[in-house]
């Protein structure tokens, strides 16, 4: 990937002062190691009238994969292949932004002991990026750079010049020109907005990214008309970080409007230890939702399919309404842990008669599972390889055929709200997939239609207006119409 910065000058104020400002000598070609390859700095032209500094980032594809964020959502083969077949070595992105900050760190801060007056003064600047990913197209490029004092030219790059009917790609050739900005301001704009336009950071965004954003955005981000989009994309849509950044930017805006310091504005609350109630864990909310659905169904004999370590089985055992509870899991180790959790070896005879743990695979029919009132598949289906899902569906809905089936599964759309979940990852390493709400509803509707059930959906956990709840639940009941026909 490639970027050039050019300026013009006169004999009294030569353009080659750009070398002082960038702390890179025009007569030298220099190389700098980065975490993903090598950054080269050289000057295609350097005289008193015109000087151009070029930054060429040569990506090491092996390092890129090794240091990458892992498989894409669901760990599907095509997502894994994206680690090896992508535009990272060629198109400007967060990789180039990081190289920019590493190689030109002093210039980014506006520090130049040799030419301090030039560092503080606006320069005639021309910045060119031959290949820039622009999610939002040329119009978004203009909306981001133009308010900062740039004259923007963003020409779309065709998908293939030999086939113009295919249209344009998501890349643009970017040209920025200005005589109103200092070099430090220009570099800070690029540092923030290159990854914003690409909208796909190559590294995990942590809390310190807020400080980086605010440092680079000082003096321009608080009043930018696209501030919300910039903060959201720069922080990889991690909403708590985005909210924190916006709150701090609002304080900056208010302080500037009031000609005050931020500290003078942000003093309404004393420095005290806040005591807030801890949110109820999602696992608890999930069990409560399942127990509520089972209670409504009137079930007495319940299957806990994929019971794992027995948390739900234990909760069911505490309710006298459930006269028979069977926990089923393919893992003998999980069943051993469940047995210890339930204290089966010390349980009274009457209580022990209500519960049983059995080993079995849910993708095979099992005569032991027939005749029960209800079955629960709590966080189970996403652990099954998609080609084997029809076998599970038949084993549960077609063969065992309880009157009620409760299914919970992660809502993939909600993953962007998890602080500790890197973008593109599923919630557990063993998850074969994670469904969106639309995908889950479509699957449930198809299963209900195929096996004569009716499906009702319940959100579990906070129901976010944009991405829905963290867990989605479907309660299947045998269709009254189908049951009447059978009778």
């Amino acid at each position: 990937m490639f970027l050039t910065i050019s300026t013009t000058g006169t004999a009294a104020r030569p353009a080659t002062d750009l070398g002082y400002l960038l702390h890179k000598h025009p007569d030298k070609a220099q190389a700098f190691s980065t975490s993903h390859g090598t950054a080269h700095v050289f000057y295609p032209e350097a005289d008193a009238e015109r000087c151009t500094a070029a930054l060429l980032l040569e990506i090491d594809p092996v390092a890129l994969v090794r240091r990458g964020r892992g498989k894409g959502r669901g760990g599907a083969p095509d997502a894994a292949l994206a680690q090896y077949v992508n535009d990272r070595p060629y198109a400007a992105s967060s990789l180039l932004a990081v190289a920019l900050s590493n190689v030109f760190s002093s210039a980014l801060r506006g520090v130049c002991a040799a030419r301090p007056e030039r560092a503080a003064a606006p320069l005639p600047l021309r910045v060119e990026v031959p290949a820039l990913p622009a999610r939002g197209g040329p119009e978004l490029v203009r909306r981001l750079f133009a308010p900062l004092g740039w004259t923007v030219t963003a020409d779309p790059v065709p998908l293939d010049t030999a086939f113009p009917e295919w249209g344009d790609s998501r890349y643009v050739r970017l040209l920025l020109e200005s005589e109103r900005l200092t070099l430090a301001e220009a570099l800070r704009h690029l540092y923030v907005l290159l990854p914003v336009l690409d909208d796909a950071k190559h590294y995990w965004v942590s809390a310190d990214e807020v400080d980086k954003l605010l440092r680079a955005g000082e003096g321009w981000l608080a009043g930018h008309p696209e501030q919300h989009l910039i903060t959201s994309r720069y922080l990889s849509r991690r909403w708590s970080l985005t909210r924190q950044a916006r709150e701090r930017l609002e304080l900056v805006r208010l302080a500037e409007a009031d000609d005050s310091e931020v500290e003078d504005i942000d003093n309404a609350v004393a420095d005290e230890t806040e005591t807030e109630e801890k949110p109820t864990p999602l696992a608890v909310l999930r069990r409560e939702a399942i127990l509520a659905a089972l209670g409504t169904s009137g079930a007495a004999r319940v299957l806990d399919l994929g019971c794992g370590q027995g948390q739900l089985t234990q909760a069911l055992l505490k309710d006298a309404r459930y006269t028979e509870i069977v926990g089923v899991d393919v893992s003998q180790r999980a069943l051993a842990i469940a047995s210890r959790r339930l204290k089966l070896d010390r349980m009274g005879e009457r209580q022990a008669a209500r519960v049983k743990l059995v080993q079995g695979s849910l993708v095979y029919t099992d005569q032991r599972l027939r005749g029960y009132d209800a079955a629960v598949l709590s966080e189970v289906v996403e652990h099954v390889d998609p080609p084997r899902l029809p076998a599970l569906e038949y084993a549960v809905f077609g063969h065992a055929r309880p009157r009620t089936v409760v299914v919970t599964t992660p809502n993939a759309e909600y993953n962007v709200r998890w602080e500790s979940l890197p973008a593109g990852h599923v919630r557990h390493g063993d998850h074969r997939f994670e469904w969106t709400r639309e995908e889950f509803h479509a699957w449930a509707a198809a299963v209900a239609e195929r096996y004569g059930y009716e499906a009702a959906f319940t959100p579990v956990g906070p129901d976010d207006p944009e991405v829905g709840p963290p867990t989605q639940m479907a309660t299947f009941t045998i269709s009254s119409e189908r049951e009447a026909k059978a009778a």
Side-chain angles (χ1 to χ4, degrees), residues 130-158:
L132 174 65
R135 295 185 187 273
E139 179 54 35
L140 178 60
V141 179
R142 284 186 279 272
R143 295 203 328 257
L144 293 181
F145 282 102
L148 302 176
W150 293 101
T151 299
V152 182
T153 304
D155 296 324
V157 176

Side-chain angles (χ1 to χ4, degrees), residues 156-171 173:
V157 176
L159 275 173
D160 193 321
T161 53
F163 300 95
E165 65 272 16
W166 288 1
D168 295 325
S169 68
R170 70 183 185 96
Y171 304 92
R173 295 185 184 90

